[in-house]
Amino acid sequence: MNILKNTILLFFLSVGLIFIASCSSPAADEVNVYSARHYQTDEDLFKEFTGETCIRVNLIKAGADQLINRLELEGATSPADLFITADAGYMLQAREKNLLQPMERSVIEGIVPSYLYDSEGYWTGFTKRARVIVYDTAKVDPSDLSTYEALTDPRWQGRILVRTSKNAYNQTLMASIIAANGEEAALAWARGIVANMAQEPRGNDRDQVKAVAAGVGDVAIVNTYYMGLLLNSSNEEERRIARQMGVFFPNQDGRGAHMNISAAAIAKNAPNKKNAEKLISFLLRNESQQLLAEVNHEYPVNINTPWTELQMQWGEFKPDTIPLDQLTPHLSKATKLFDEAGWK
Ligand code: FE2
């Protein structure tokens, strides 16, 4: 039995070696990725990319702030080819700091809707997420929900859960509210939400949903995919909590629900620009988009990729299609207004 096992093991090892040997040409082709995303799915996709193209993916993972600092410090000698963030705001910052270069238009055009990529091709979304209102189905009638703005109504006093204003998802949401309603109204919105918070902001999006389940508040502002992750959690309690919640897409009679993206960009001094473009194309192709949707519950950005069953269950909705690159001037104001409103 053991001999058989060892033989099988040896067989797989040798297949692995052959595979590696076939991919290690003298001038090893590679692509250096700086990623602020920390998902197993991404690494699985990178492995698949290497298997198909023989381009080795060298992955450096850190926070988006740290990676932007690193790109700035490394300057012209940076080995970074591809920069990946889990939020549009950091990409806008990276472009403002002149850390990116445009990609070939054919990588994105006709594949991704134009509001999800930089108009000059400096970055593109490769997954999207809606920032929605999750509510306790036992306590909230969804017909009482309508817009982000309506959550400032006194009827929601002590009932809203949302994370800190230091969080990029909230900053990008705020930038979209400034773009839609102007600074004064955006400040009033932030003040109204602070007045209705169930507790001081703490924890991540998942923690907000858990706090709703624990009865700390009744509604939470969170990204859709966290609901997908909770519903499919290995932890039974997390699955139970998620099943108790409803997902509401706000602002459907107006501009639509706020959309954020995970984005990819070519670094300004990329030594392997072509490989970085190949990897972006790979992430945008149907099979990769489907995997990201199935495993991570993010919405595909490829216009031809179908939604998952869960996403279909959440239902069709109207997204806010303001081009994300137009949020750049509002981002720094977002932080300022949050501070002014006392949103921790
Ligand atoms: Fe996230």
Side-chain angles (χ1 to χ4, degrees):
M1 201 57 189
N2 268 338
I3 293 168
L4 181 64
K5 251 193 210 163
N6 287 340
T7 316
I8 292 170
L9 190 66
L10 263 176
F11 171 74
F12 280 110
L13 274 177
S14 57
V15 168
L17 284 175
I18 290 163
F19 163 73
I20 291 166
S22 73
C23 279
S24 57
S25 50
D29 219 359
E30 59 183 8
V31 60
N32 300 314
V33 178
Y34 284 17
S35 179
R37 275 170 58 100
H38 306 275
Y39 302 119
Q40 186 55 45
T41 334
D42 293 19
E43 289 181 41
D44 293 344
L45 283 169
F46 295 154
K47 267 183 214 141
E48 209 180 307
F49 174 74
T50 303
E52 277 183 27
T53 62
C54 289
I55 299 168
R56 195 173 63 224
V57 177
N58 303 315
L59 178 62
I60 289 176
K61 290 194 289 185
D65 278 324
Q66 288 167 289
L67 292 173
I68 286 175
N69 279 341
R70 187 162 172 168
L71 286 169
E72 277 186 293
L73 284 171
E74 289 171 344
T77 61
S78 175
D81 294 308
L82 191 67
F83 177 48
I84 290 178
T85 64
D87 174 82
Y90 284 113
M91 227 20 129
L92 302 180
Q93 268 186 48
R95 168 141 198 216
E96 284 240 288
K97 290 177 187 245
N98 197 22
L99 299 171
L100 311 176
Q101 62 172 305
M103 66 188 81
E104 201 54 61
R105 305 291 296 195
S106 60
V107 172
I108 39 182
E109 268 176 10
I111 298 166
V112 181
S114 60
Y115 77 98
L116 299 173
Y117 61 78
D118 177 82
S119 61
E120 292 172 65
Y122 278 82
W123 47 261
T124 180
F126 67 94
T127 68
K128 66 180 198 264
R129 343 31 207 281
R131 201 138 179 83
V132 293
I133 303 172
V134 162
Y135 60 95
D136 187 335
T137 49
K139 293 185 189 159
V140 175
D141 180 344
S143 68
D144 286 338
L145 294 166
S146 58
T147 62
Y148 301 106
E149 289 81 357
L151 290 177
T152 62
D153 189 280
R155 83 158 89 166
W156 294 104
Q157 203 175 352
R159 302 170 70 190
I160 297 175
L161 286 146
V162 60
R163 70 203 283 182
T164 161
S165 66
K166 309 292 177 280
N167 168 254
Y169 305 142
N170 282 342
Q171 288 174 2
T172 310
L173 170 65
M174 183 59 153
S176 80
I177 289 175
I178 297 171
N181 304 334
E183 272 181 62
E184 211 176 300
L187 174 61
W189 176 75
R191 285 199 169 119
I193 296 291
V194 170
N196 286 344
M197 282 179 185
Q199 66 179 9
E200 235 179 49
R202 67 180 75 122
N204 57 28
D205 275 11
R206 252 177 281 218
D207 294 325
Q208 311 311 313
V209 178
K210 288 178 185 173
V212 171
V216 178
D218 298 336
V219 297
I221 301 173
V222 295
N223 286 351
T224 36
Y225 63 95
Y226 288 108
M227 282 301 292
L229 291 172
L230 287 172
L231 281 165
N232 292 281
S233 169
S234 56
N235 178 315
E236 198 192 319
E237 176 63 6
E238 290 194 337
R239 292 199 301 275
R240 189 194 61 76
I241 284 170
R243 283 197 300 269
Q244 188 188 323
M245 303 294 154
V247 170
F248 184 85
F249 293 89
N251 297 65
Q252 293 303 287
D253 295 331
R255 65 182 183 273
H258 171 62
M259 303 305 289
N260 205 332
I261 49 172
S262 271
I266 313 229
K268 172 103 180 167
N269 300 295
N272 307 291
K273 182 183 180 193
K274 284 284 156 226
N275 290 349
E277 280 172 342
K278 278 184 197 162
L279 184 47
I280 295 175
S281 290
F282 177 88
L283 291 173
L284 290 176
R285 76 178 191 182
N286 197 36
E287 297 86 336
S288 311
Q289 291 282 296
Q290 258 171 328
L291 187 80
L292 287 161
E294 286 293 345
V295 181
N296 246 16
H297 310 286
E298 298 171 277
Y299 288 97
V301 297
N302 185 321
I303 50 174
N304 296 313
T305 306
W307 285 7
T308 64
E309 211 171 296
L310 176 62
Q311 288 164 345
M312 297 297 279
Q313 231 172 287
W314 287 335
E316 292 272 352
F317 64 91
K318 179 181 178 184
D320 182 356
T321 54
I322 181 174
L324 289 174
D325 60 2
Q326 286 179 18
L327 298 183
T328 310
H330 306 303
L331 265 178
S332 54
K333 280 181 204 140
T335 315
K336 205 188 88 206
L337 296 182
F338 271 141
D339 287 345
E340 226 174 305
W343 188 321
K344 291 263 162 41

